[in-house]
Amino acid sequence: MKLYLIMLAVALVISAIGFYKYVYFISLGYGFSVAAIGAALLWSFRNSLTIKVWMICLLFIVYGCRLSGYLLIRELKSAAYRSTMKKEIKDGKEVSFPAKITIWITCGLLYACQISPVLFRLENGKTDDTVLLAGMIIMCLGVVVESMADVQKSAAKKKNPNRFVDTGLFKIVRCPNYFGEMLFWTGVLVSGANAMSGVLQWVIALLGYLGIIYVMFSGARRLELRQNRNYGKDPEYQEYVKKTPIMVPFIPLYSVADQKWLVG
């Protein structure tokens, strides 16, 4: 658990950027925390890393830097995005400092829990195997899907900023970026599935996995509500949402708008 606490400390240091701007707790602080933890794992186990584990730690760095880098560039360059987020996301001015402390600690705990399957594999001294390889492949697929979705959405919005996106990956699922993220963290969990030892390690890993899945579905609900307001009267949009799953391709879940327990 000592190394887990170190990874938690890393996440808390990086995600403290949220005190500068409230939304950064769950945006820039999220991606850069994952990247920093990946780098910390590489350093902590530098003398015993195998090629596959080294690649997984590198994937954390690539994933986190790509995600937060994309969000930062979009925020800096897109006035429309800033305007939308100003309406959709709290600016934090009405949030008390104790509440911000609670959110900061919660985010740090979640980010450390998310990477814990890889940490526990290293800590338990498990060697490379097919389970690790399978997890790494799923993680890579998740990064590719999420990256493609972001690129395709940016291109579509540049072409027609006032229309919903239903091209590329968006033809088969309405939130392919969220789906890619869920794939990535599913790969992380798989990578440590046969390496974790004891109830506590499994509880920590599952809390991280289920936590990020909840966050993704909450984000999808927030997006759906916003799109319903913007495009709800468009017959093409109505047809699109009726036939295109919202989160997972080929799984007939078409809406989460009524799921108020998904707070986002």
Side-chain angles (χ1 to χ4, degrees):
M1 289 301 295
K2 180 180 178 180
L3 283 171
Y4 174 81
L5 294 176
I6 293 174
M7 300 305 128
L8 172 60
V10 171
L12 289 173
V13 169
I14 301 300
S15 61
I17 191 175
F19 289 107
Y20 170 72
K21 191 171 183 180
Y22 182 69
V23 70
Y24 287 170
F25 280 127
I26 56 172
S27 59
L28 302 188
Y30 169 46
F32 288 140
S33 289
V34 172
I37 291 174
L41 287 173
L42 283 176
W43 174 258
S44 298
F45 294 94
R46 60 192 180 278
N47 296 322
S48 58
L49 286 175
T50 63
I51 293 297
K52 291 188 182 70
V53 176
W54 184 89
M55 290 179 65
I56 282 182
C57 292
L58 185 61
L59 275 172
F60 282 137
I61 298 173
V62 171
Y63 166 85
C65 289
R66 190 216 67 84
L67 175 61
S68 286
Y70 171 79
L71 293 174
L72 181 59
I73 291 172
R74 184 172 63 175
E75 179 177 338
L76 293 175
K77 289 189 174 183
S78 175
Y81 175 78
R82 291 195 299 271
S83 177
T84 299
M85 289 301 100
K86 189 174 182 180
K87 297 175 184 177
E88 296 292 330
I89 303 294
K90 295 179 180 179
D91 60 11
K93 291 181 180 178
E94 76 283 6
V95 180
S96 66
F97 186 72
K100 288 182 179 179
I101 291 289
T102 301
I103 293 167
W104 172 51
I105 294 174
T106 300
C107 288
L109 285 168
L110 175 61
Y111 305 156
C113 286
Q114 285 176 238
I115 60 88
S116 64
V118 175
L119 169 62
F120 294 144
R121 171 175 283 277
L122 291 168
E123 199 170 33
N124 295 338
K126 298 294 184 180
T127 57
D128 287 1
D129 51 33
T130 55
V131 172
L132 178 64
L133 179 60
M136 185 176 68
I137 291 172
I138 297 171
M139 290 171 67
C140 288
L141 182 59
V143 171
V144 170
V145 169
E146 189 171 13
S147 300
M148 286 179 60
D150 288 340
V151 170
Q152 290 172 353
K153 185 173 184 178
S154 294
K157 284 297 184 180
K158 284 182 181 179
K159 185 176 181 180
N160 191 345
N162 297 317
R163 190 182 191 280
F164 63 94
V165 181
D166 61 348
T167 55
L169 292 173
F170 292 84
K171 287 183 178 180
I172 60 174
V173 65
R174 295 193 343 251
C175 297
N177 47 345
Y178 293 160
F179 173 63
E181 184 144 351
M182 291 193 298
L183 271 181
F184 181 86
W185 293 110
T186 297
V188 174
L189 183 64
V190 168
S191 72
N194 67 335
M196 290 183 283
S197 175
V199 174
L200 181 58
Q201 290 188 359
W202 271 103
V203 168
I204 291 173
L206 288 175
L207 282 175
Y209 180 70
L210 295 176
I212 194 58
I213 297 299
Y214 174 83
V215 169
M216 291 299 100
F217 272 89
S218 294
R221 178 176 182 267
R222 184 171 60 246
L223 177 62
E224 182 182 5
L225 292 173
R226 183 168 74 243
Q227 290 184 334
N228 287 346
R229 289 195 297 269
N230 294 339
Y231 315 117
K233 296 180 180 180
D234 184 341
E236 287 188 76
Y237 174 74
Q238 293 177 3
E239 184 65 23
Y240 172 64
V241 300
K242 287 178 182 178
K243 67 180 183 180
T244 310
I246 187 168
M247 284 294 282
V248 183
F250 314 117
I251 300 298
L253 175 65
Y254 299 102
S255 174
V256 292
D258 294 333
Q259 305 301 315
K260 295 182 179 181
W261 58 277
L262 293 172
V263 180

